Amino acid sequence: MDLVGLLKSQFLCHLVFCYVFIASGLIINTIQLFTLILWPINKQLFRKINCRLSYCISSQLVMLLEWWSGTECIIHTDPRAYPKYGKENAIVVLNHKFEIDFLCGWSLAERFGVLGGSKVLAKKELAYVPIIGWMWYFTEMVFCTRKWEQDRKTVAKSLLHLRDYPEKYFFLIHCEGTRFTEKKHQISMQVAHAKGLPSLKYHLLPRTKGFAITVRSLRNVVSAVYDCTLNFRNNENPTLLGVLNGKKYHADLYVRRIPLEEVPEDEDKCSAWLHKLYQEKDAFQEEYYRTGTFPETPMVPPRRPWTLVNWLFWASLLLYPFFRFLVNMISSGSSLTLASFVLVFFVASMGVRWMIGVTEIDKGSAYGNIDSKQKQND
């Protein structure tokens, strides 16, 4: 390991990233709270301001991937479709197999300049998580309970609010609902067999209702579906801890632009269309494992500097008073003060490990008895 690699793996560096992220995130959340006074006066101004505040938070994670880790992501796509990326609203359907696939989705949005306004279909519990969840609340993210009878109206209502959104956005959906594991795959294929659907080798059976209602609610506002299939070279198994340690990964992302007019409006036909899409995604993954590449022309969108500039701004604003406080605390010589410092350091350490732990594949949502029953009703 070279000197730079050794430096990147040190916990003190991780603690600095964590401190800047948490401190800046709470400051931004507070500013977002005060922007609520704009909602009844000028809703579109409220949205534009919160898009930029949201970018200040989410771009810090993208900075870790693109600048700290240096992870490379080659996009394989049709050159005729490429100029439209970032110039239109789109529904992004991404496979859900890797711990950092959400980061790769955010990186895609950042490369095409729409990270601040981009949306996800997320679990309702995440709305209560400080910083990320609160940020999502102020940017009108769409939350669901994964119970269709509850979600039918609330998700549709949230989606309809996005029809007059003033910023371009990617709406990211993991139609599989949870990350791929062998155990979840086995259960999912049992459901597929019971419903008479073709088996999938590299994906879970997609949940169709959320996708169908998204298409129906955003039709004539969203121009296309971007079918995105992600994989990593040399059987790499990327983790957030690896990114934090500065480990460089090599990703390939196959992006197909499908005009929304080609997606059926009828719910049953839309469901069948999505199942067919996942069969095609499975075939693309099979080809990737066989040949080491995806179809279409490989391209590398330019890395924009703004994620790094944003992090450097917050670091310069927050680190000096933080280190000055630490020096004063240590130099005081008080046993109570030193004990307090050790306690804070321990809590921060556990916080970093918790934030990493929630992304781990084996910590993903349950996919068993109740979940398989829900799938049979999809």
Side-chain angles (χ1 to χ4, degrees), residues 182-197:
E182 290 301 329
K183 181 179 179 181
K184 295 173 185 177
H185 180 254
Q186 182 180 6
I187 296 171
S188 182
M189 291 308 98
Q190 290 174 358
V191 175
H193 178 74
K195 297 175 71 172
L197 294 169

Side-chain angles (χ1 to χ4, degrees), residues 17 59-70 243-244:
F17 281 126
S59 68
Q60 293 187 45
L61 298 178
V62 176
M63 186 280 297
L64 283 176
L65 182 74
E66 295 187 345
W67 292 92
W68 182 254
S69 163
V243 171
L244 202 55

Side-chain angles (χ1 to χ4, degrees), residues 95-113:
N95 57 314
H96 204 9
K97 184 175 182 179
F98 305 100
E99 288 183 14
I100 66 168
D101 49 28
F102 77 97
L103 262 185
C104 293
W106 285 11
S107 178
L108 178 71
E110 163 58 20
R111 295 288 176 107
F112 292 106

Side-chain angles (χ1 to χ4, degrees), residues 140-354:
E140 301 171 73
M141 212 62 68
V142 180
F143 295 101
C144 64
T145 63
R146 294 184 175 179
K147 297 177 181 177
W148 180 241
E149 292 307 316
Q150 296 180 26
D151 290 335
R152 184 190 298 271
K153 292 183 179 180
T154 57
V155 170
K157 183 178 179 180
S158 297
L159 288 166
L160 290 173
H161 286 161
L162 299 180
R163 291 189 63 85
D164 64 343
Y165 207 78
E167 303 285 328
K168 298 297 181 187
Y169 58 83
F170 289 169
F171 192 96
L172 175 63
I173 302 181
H174 293 293
C175 292
E176 295 162 88
T178 184
R179 285 197 184 99
F180 182 101
T181 66
E182 290 301 329
K183 181 179 179 181
K184 295 173 185 177
H185 180 254
Q186 182 180 6
I187 296 171
S188 182
M189 291 308 98
Q190 290 174 358
V191 175
H193 178 74
K195 297 175 71 172
L197 294 169
S199 295
L200 300 172
K201 187 175 180 180
Y202 303 105
H203 299 84
L204 305 178
L205 198 65
R207 302 184 182 195
T208 61
K209 293 190 188 310
F211 176 79
I213 198 170
T214 301
V215 170
R216 183 167 65 250
S217 300
L218 297 181
R219 194 175 288 276
N220 300 322
V221 173
V222 164
S223 302
V225 171
Y226 294 173
D227 172 35
C228 297
T229 305
L230 177 69
N231 214 323
F232 287 83
R233 279 170 247 162
N234 305 317
N235 293 316
E236 290 176 336
N237 185 25
T239 64
L240 186 56
L241 181 59
V243 171
L244 202 55
N245 282 326
K247 185 174 181 180
K248 184 175 184 176
Y249 297 109
H250 305 82
D252 286 296
L253 183 66
Y254 180 36
V255 183
R256 287 193 299 167
R257 183 187 182 277
I258 305 171
L260 204 66
E261 293 79 14
E262 297 183 12
V263 183
E265 295 190 30
D266 177 77
E267 184 172 327
D268 290 337
K269 291 180 180 179
C270 184
S271 174
W273 184 91
L274 185 63
H275 283 299
K276 183 175 181 294
L277 183 80
Y278 268 78
Q279 292 161 28
E280 293 170 353
K281 290 171 79 71
D282 228 46
F284 296 140
Q285 288 285 32
E286 181 71 34
E287 181 178 350
Y288 185 87
Y289 284 114
R290 182 174 57 85
T291 65
T293 188
F294 283 122
E296 296 292 356
T297 305
M299 300 180 178
V300 181
R303 182 175 59 175
R304 306 195 320 156
W306 307 120
T307 57
L308 181 61
V309 170
N310 173 72
W311 188 86
L312 290 174
F313 166 77
W314 287 106
S316 62
L317 185 69
L318 298 170
L319 286 178
Y320 174 73
F322 175 69
F323 283 120
R324 185 175 179 179
F325 170 75
L326 288 184
V327 169
N328 291 337
M329 179 183 288
I330 295 172
S331 62
S332 69
S334 168
S335 299
L336 180 60
T337 301
L338 291 175
S340 300
F341 170 73
V342 171
L343 178 61
V344 170
F345 187 85
F346 174 76
V347 171
S349 173
M350 297 306 295
V352 172
R353 284 166 171 75
W354 176 80

